[in-house]
Amino acid sequence: MARPTPLSGFPELLPQARLVEQHVLDVLREVFELHGFSSIETRAVEPLSVLLRKGEIDKEVYGVRRLQADSEDKDELALHFDLTVPFARYVTENAGHLQFPFRRYQVQKVWRGERPQEGRYREFTQADIDVVDRGTLAVHHDADMARVMGEALSRLPLPGVTLQVNNRRLVEGFYRGLGLEGDVLTGSIGATMRAVDKLDKVGARGVADLLAQAGLTQDQVDGALGLAQVRAGAGDLVESVRALGVTHELLDQGLEELLAVLTAVDDLPADRVAVVADLSVARGLDYYTGTVYETRMRGWESLGSICSGGRYDALADDGRDVYPGVGISLGVTRAIIPLLGRGAVRASRPTPTAVVVAVADEGHRRDADRVAQQLRARGVATEVSPTAAKFGKQIRFADRRGVPFVWFPSLDAADGHQVKDIRSGEQVPADPASWLPPAADLRPTVVSEDPAQLP
Amino acid sequence: MARPTPLSGFPELLPQARLVEQHVLDVLREVFELHGFSSIETRAVEPLSVLLRKGEIDKEVYGVRRLQADSEDKDELALHFDLTVPFARYVTENAGHLQFPFRRYQVQKVWRGERPQEGRYREFTQADIDVVDRGTLAVHHDADMARVMGEALSRLPLPGVTLQVNNRRLVEGFYRGLGLEGDVLTGSIGATMRAVDKLDKVGARGVADLLAQAGLTQDQVDGALGLAQVRAGAGDLVESVRALGVTHELLDQGLEELLAVLTAVDDLPADRVAVVADLSVARGLDYYTGTVYETRMRGWESLGSICSGGRYDALADDGRDVYPGVGISLGVTRAIIPLLGRGAVRASRPTPTAVVVAVADEGHRRDADRVAQQLRARGVATEVSPTAAKFGKQIRFADRRGVPFVWFPSLDAADGHQVKDIRSGEQVPADPASWLPPAADLRPTVVSEDPAQLP
């Protein structure tokens, strides 16, 4: 077997980096469960017909087919490209067994055939929270999603983030007030939304050109760009929008909803998670109908939004009931791989092991096993030395693996045990029935550095 | 959207069942990490050429292809069907960054295009532990794998299991002593191994017929069947094999290795995990070279082995070094879905939520939010009632979701809070800054019933 080469766009982590990813997933799970979200997982594949319903994404989809398919394999299958479409399908399939409003989190890999680049992968992990109800879904859930994901982000070893919130009803109402027509996906309103979505890429002048091509008057172009430039908090949102001089009933409704979200999240730690109304956030081609979210890491804005979502008035529809939902999705891989790559976050050691128990000779391996079991019974991750080489070599084995302690079992009396901190060299007597390492050494910890201080 | 139907062979769990799966995965992770195994994950896809190297499995493999593939997509990709082949590839790809012997655990989904039936799925989760070294791997690791997985199994909410161990060197040596030739995969030795592997399905007479067809003499048939009937512990293994009157150097070596495994695991709780030498265990077409393992749940033997593995003298080979390994793989989905389906194991409630905070009216929702945050800060999973309906309706909401407590915030004074256990109806004053539910109610627990008592 020749040495294989990595597949572009399919990142794999070494054990030390994987510890960072595990820590991130642990924090997400803890926060989501504290807020009453249930975990679900859906199968990796969906019928192609389910996946393609959403629009023009067929070129990003990986088809899946048994190499020796037979006539029983009627379904054309493909790997899911997000967790929203499978969740909508799960809700309609299991509606009779779920209690609504249903709060779920889902952390799984998804696959997209995009061209790989930093922050864009072909296989990556997403962590989604959504709440879905039958019939109608109260608007306070929109604030709740921002608060829960904000709390999770504030506890992750990431740079501080800005959570940008907008509301499509507000934008659509504003555009109607300008005299545009259609809806968030069609007509001059849809065209304007898609153009404003390119603000980051083509700048205000580029957007103005696109809008003029779409047939907007200069006043309409100025109005749309004016709205897209609004950045505000709960204190100045209404004033900032009113100053643009446009009125419409739908604008009022959207403004009220957006203000409610901003007001409800004012207890998040602003240095970690700043929540702002950013009226340029449009979320492109997605079917969001109210609140929309994006999130950027400070100092890492070039990665784009790492955490996005919004409200669907019809997340799912089984022909009898409609299921509105609101949710937000964190791109775990997209956020952490670049940080890992530049050393902005790392685990304190590459292995869970805190102690290596030395083996004097193979005849004493079982004694070492017994010491290890005593330590493990108190939650201390322990390995027994794989060889009975000279102790210096066993210590070097532990050192190479980043393990802080080596235990030397007593060969005769019960009280002859010693443990060595191989970083300081300090070696002391210890009792396998009671010894514990310092709390900071018990498990690998995750160390985050301020990315602003990186070269 | 019409109500979708499940895909056969791609099981999905409702939230209450998922809690059982999460508990199982948590226990596995804890035990594996206590024993110093590092977590890794590999990508879901491998080049088809890597997957097909192992043998006749192409009809079970799912090919993967971008629907709009272009000339840059040179690799033919497929979903991995186990975690051993990807791990071997990962080891050779990253050998320069790993410390050997390298202990890793890996818990991921795998995909096989097999015909679905109970205990056989097209998508399922496996939990693997392996240790791999460069050059040579000491035999005490074979016992270690059995001990670690045995400890994990003993702590899972499963029926008791029998971990059956055999050794292919023992079997091959015995067959050589009978005058057979070839090796574990070829010649009359390979043919005999494959025939004996069918003992469960075709019985002793069926195996005897197969062996006679393969050209074995009656004495050889009797010898092979005699060996396959040996079940022994550390105390009577050597005697039982010697009684068959066959001698060979390789038999002696295998017998010594097998005895070492049995002896080293004698501290497992036998009522939960009985470890026995079962000399009929052959592991079919796999490339194992020494120790092999299978595991059956008592009362659920029809599911087949839920946990299997063995030693590869060449798990991987990068053209410069050879990497021997030994490992064992638990079929998580295969073990728990049948138990869930028959109610032999379940979670105590369907949601992480321990408390629902009632909302007197929408104007007091923020007060309810603050109480919820105080409870969450002490690790109590809490939801705020989605509506400000009459309290009776809010209590029924909690009840339907299996949530044990409803909190009624004080509307004025700080000391007017009350909490109700909705199972007993008892309602008492409580302080949101200090109240905790009984430990048994803090999180959902997993309840296992003795499957022998099921109908």
Side-chain angles (χ1 to χ4, degrees):
Chain A
M1 197 195 294
R3 182 153 300 188
T5 51
L7 283 179
S8 177
F10 291 87
E12 290 185 330
L13 302 179
L14 287 167
Q16 192 157 2
R18 167 67 178 157
L19 284 166
V20 173
E21 184 180 51
Q22 283 184 296
H23 172 74
V24 167
L25 300 179
D26 288 345
V27 169
L28 293 173
R29 173 178 172 184
E30 186 185 348
V31 173
F32 298 160
E33 293 185 353
L34 280 174
H35 286 264
F37 288 82
S38 289
S39 171
I40 69 161
E41 290 194 336
T42 56
R43 62 195 186 218
V45 298
E46 296 291 335
L48 200 52
S49 55
V50 171
L51 290 183
L52 296 189
R53 189 172 296 134
K54 222 182 156 194
E56 308 171 67
I57 45 82
D58 54 326
K59 69 170 177 292
E60 297 180 8
V61 173
Y62 281 103
V64 170
R65 193 169 170 75
R66 287 177 64 202
L67 289 188
Q68 309 232 343
D70 53 37
S71 55
E72 286 177 60
D73 290 292
K74 282 174 234 121
D75 298 305
E76 260 201 292
L77 300 177
L79 295 173
H80 56 218
F81 57 83
D82 73 4
L83 302 176
T84 306
V85 175
F87 175 55
R89 192 261 313 148
Y90 178 97
V91 166
T92 54
E93 193 172 311
N94 298 294
H97 303 286
L98 302 175
Q99 296 298 333
F100 292 97
F102 176 52
R103 296 158 76 82
R104 83 87 173 79
Y105 74 94
Q106 190 169 351
V107 181
Q108 285 187 258
K109 298 211 169 98
V110 304
W111 295 268
R112 295 184 191 175
E114 297 186 89
R115 190 175 303 275
Q117 50 180 295
E118 186 173 52
R120 296 271 173 189
Y121 307 97
R122 293 187 153 186
E123 174 178 70
F124 53 100
T125 299
Q126 285 197 336
D128 282 27
I129 52 174
D130 284 271
V131 55
V132 61
D133 207 342
R134 187 153 35 195
T136 59
L137 177 71
V139 71
H140 60 77
H141 294 288
D142 297 39
D144 198 33
M145 293 302 109
R147 193 195 294 115
V148 175
M149 191 59 92
E151 184 177 324
L153 289 166
S154 75
R155 292 176 52 182
L156 291 177
L158 303 178
V161 300
T162 302
L163 207 162
Q164 303 149 292
V165 193
N166 196 1
N167 186 294
R168 284 200 168 183
R169 267 186 271 275
L170 184 164
V171 176
E172 184 181 342
F174 188 92
Y175 292 170
R176 284 198 193 289
L178 286 175
L180 304 182
E181 54 193 23
D183 62 27
V184 296
L185 288 172
T186 66
S188 56
I189 290 177
T192 305
M193 288 214 176
R194 285 192 295 280
V196 169
D197 198 34
K198 299 195 172 81
L199 191 59
D200 269 3
K201 282 181 195 146
V202 303
R205 184 169 298 259
V207 173
D209 289 346
L210 287 169
L211 293 177
Q213 284 163 32
L216 272 66
T217 67
Q218 190 57 46
D219 277 357
Q220 289 170 331
V221 171
D222 292 344
L225 280 174
L227 187 73
Q229 277 150 15
V230 171
R231 309 285 179 276
D236 58 346
L237 171 67
V238 175
E239 187 184 358
S240 305
V241 175
R242 294 292 181 222
L244 298 170
V246 174
T247 56
H248 192 275
E249 188 179 46
L250 197 58
L251 168 60
D252 294 345
Q253 187 193 338
L255 200 50
E256 191 181 319
E257 288 179 8
L258 183 52
L259 185 62
V261 173
L262 293 181
T263 306
V265 299
D266 61 6
D267 52 350
L268 287 171
D271 58 322
R272 297 290 303 140
V273 182
V275 184
V276 300
D278 180 331
L279 304 197
S280 72
V281 167
R283 302 300 309 145
L285 287 167
D286 286 314
Y287 280 66
Y288 298 116
T289 46
T291 304
V292 286
Y293 317 94
E294 290 193 351
T295 312
R296 284 168 173 80
M297 289 197 289
R298 290 176 214 146
W300 301 77
E301 286 81 2
S302 63
L303 293 177
S305 175
I306 59 157
C307 186
S308 312
R311 169 179 277 256
Y312 297 88
D313 281 344
L315 174 74
D317 177 348
D318 60 11
R320 199 177 54 195
D321 291 300
V322 66
Y323 299 87
V326 58
I328 188 163
S329 170
L330 171 63
V332 175
T333 307
R334 170 185 270 197
I336 67 173
I337 294 235
L339 295 175
L340 286 165
R342 299 200 210 163
V345 59
R346 62 184 175 78
S348 59
R349 61 178 188 250
T351 164
T353 308
V355 180
V356 168
V357 181
V359 177
D361 54 70
E362 285 300 331
H364 283 87
R365 178 168 294 281
R366 302 252 13 224
D367 299 312
D369 282 341
R370 274 186 214 103
V371 169
Q373 281 298 79
Q374 285 181 279
L375 297 178
R376 289 173 191 135
R378 289 195 306 287
V380 183
T382 305
E383 281 178 65
V384 172
S385 173
T387 70
K390 285 183 182 162
F391 281 158
K393 208 169 162 191
Q394 295 188 46
I395 291 169
R396 280 196 298 282
F397 166 77
D399 192 33
R400 273 201 317 274
R401 292 168 60 79
V403 178
F405 295 96
V406 174
W407 189 282
F408 299 99
S410 167
L411 293 188
D412 34 40
D415 60 352
H417 294 273
Q418 301 229 321
V419 65
K420 184 190 200 77
D421 182 331
I422 62 175
R423 297 160 301 186
S424 66
E426 189 190 20
Q427 184 167 331
V428 295
D431 181 351
S434 62
W435 179 85
L436 281 173
D441 290 328
L442 186 60
R443 289 188 182 78
T445 54
V446 170
V447 186
S448 171
E449 293 176 27
D450 183 350
Q453 296 183 12
L454 291 176
Chain B
M1 197 196 293
R3 182 152 300 189
T5 51
L7 284 179
S8 177
F10 291 87
E12 289 184 330
L13 302 178
L14 287 168
Q16 192 158 3
R18 167 67 178 158
L19 284 167
V20 173
E21 185 180 51
Q22 283 184 296
H23 171 76
V24 167
L25 300 180
D26 288 344
V27 170
L28 293 173
R29 173 180 173 182
E30 186 185 347
V31 173
F32 297 161
E33 292 186 354
L34 280 174
H35 286 264
F37 289 82
S38 289
S39 170
I40 69 161
E41 290 195 336
T42 56
R43 62 194 186 219
V45 298
E46 296 291 335
L48 200 53
S49 56
V50 171
L51 290 182
L52 297 188
R53 189 173 293 135
K54 222 182 158 193
E56 308 171 67
I57 44 83
D58 54 326
K59 69 170 175 291
E60 297 180 8
V61 173
Y62 281 104
V64 169
R65 194 169 167 75
R66 287 176 64 202
L67 290 188
Q68 310 234 342
D70 53 37
S71 57
E72 286 175 60
D73 291 291
K74 283 174 232 121
D75 298 306
E76 261 202 291
L77 300 177
L79 295 173
H80 57 218
F81 57 82
D82 73 4
L83 302 176
T84 306
V85 174
F87 174 56
R89 192 262 313 150
Y90 178 96
V91 166
T92 54
E93 194 173 310
N94 297 293
H97 304 285
L98 303 174
Q99 297 297 334
F100 294 96
F102 175 52
R103 293 158 79 82
R104 85 86 175 78
Y105 74 94
Q106 189 170 352
V107 181
Q108 285 186 258
K109 300 213 168 94
V110 304
W111 294 270
R112 294 184 191 175
E114 297 186 89
R115 189 175 303 275
Q117 51 179 295
E118 185 172 54
R120 296 271 174 191
Y121 306 97
R122 292 187 154 188
E123 174 178 71
F124 54 101
T125 298
Q126 286 198 335
D128 282 27
I129 52 172
D130 285 271
V131 55
V132 60
D133 208 342
R134 185 149 42 193
T136 60
L137 177 73
V139 71
H140 61 75
H141 294 288
D142 296 39
D144 199 33
M145 294 302 110
R147 194 196 293 117
V148 175
M149 192 59 93
E151 186 178 324
L153 289 166
S154 76
R155 292 177 52 184
L156 292 177
L158 303 178
V161 300
T162 302
L163 206 163
Q164 304 150 292
V165 193
N166 196 0
N167 186 295
R168 284 199 168 184
R169 266 186 273 274
L170 184 164
V171 176
E172 183 183 342
F174 188 93
Y175 291 171
R176 284 198 192 289
L178 286 175
L180 304 182
E181 53 194 22
D183 62 28
V184 296
L185 289 172
T186 66
S188 57
I189 291 176
T192 305
M193 288 216 177
R194 285 193 294 279
V196 169
D197 197 35
K198 300 195 171 82
L199 190 59
D200 269 3
K201 283 179 195 148
V202 302
R205 183 169 299 259
V207 172
D209 289 346
L210 286 169
L211 293 177
Q213 284 162 31
L216 272 67
T217 66
Q218 190 59 46
D219 277 358
Q220 289 169 333
V221 171
D222 291 344
L225 280 173
L227 187 74
Q229 277 150 14
V230 171
R231 308 285 179 275
D236 57 345
L237 171 67
V238 175
E239 187 184 0
S240 304
V241 175
R242 295 292 180 223
L244 299 171
V246 175
T247 56
H248 192 276
E249 187 178 47
L250 196 59
L251 167 61
D252 293 346
Q253 186 193 337
L255 200 51
E256 191 182 318
E257 288 179 8
L258 182 53
L259 184 62
V261 173
L262 293 181
T263 307
V265 299
D266 61 6
D267 52 349
L268 287 170
D271 58 322
R272 297 289 302 140
V273 182
V275 185
V276 299
D278 180 331
L279 304 198
S280 72
V281 167
R283 301 300 308 144
L285 287 166
D286 286 313
Y287 280 67
Y288 298 116
T289 47
T291 303
V292 287
Y293 318 94
E294 289 192 351
T295 312
R296 282 169 172 79
M297 289 196 290
R298 290 176 215 146
W300 300 78
E301 286 82 1
S302 63
L303 293 177
S305 175
I306 59 156
C307 187
S308 312
R311 169 178 278 255
Y312 297 89
D313 283 343
L315 174 74
D317 177 349
D318 61 10
R320 200 177 56 194
D321 291 301
V322 66
Y323 299 87
V326 59
I328 187 162
S329 171
L330 172 63
V332 175
T333 307
R334 170 184 269 196
I336 67 173
I337 294 234
L339 295 174
L340 286 164
R342 299 199 209 164
V345 60
R346 62 181 176 80
S348 58
R349 60 177 188 251
T351 163
T353 308
V355 180
V356 167
V357 181
V359 176
D361 56 70
E362 285 300 332
H364 284 87
R365 178 168 294 281
R366 300 243 28 215
D367 299 313
D369 283 340
R370 276 187 212 101
V371 170
Q373 282 298 78
Q374 286 180 280
L375 297 178
R376 290 174 191 135
R378 289 195 307 286
V380 183
T382 306
E383 280 179 67
V384 172
S385 173
T387 71
K390 285 184 183 162
F391 282 157
K393 207 168 163 192
Q394 294 188 47
I395 291 168
R396 280 196 299 281
F397 166 78
D399 192 33
R400 273 201 318 273
R401 292 167 61 78
V403 178
F405 295 97
V406 173
W407 189 282
F408 300 99
S410 167
L411 294 188
D412 34 39
D415 61 350
H417 296 272
Q418 301 229 320
V419 65
K420 183 189 199 78
D421 182 331
I422 61 175
R423 297 159 301 187
S424 66
E426 190 190 20
Q427 183 167 332
V428 295
D431 182 350
S434 62
W435 179 85
L436 281 173
D441 289 328
L442 185 61
R443 289 188 181 77
T445 53
V446 171
V447 186
S448 171
E449 293 175 29
D450 183 350
Q453 297 182 11
L454 292 175

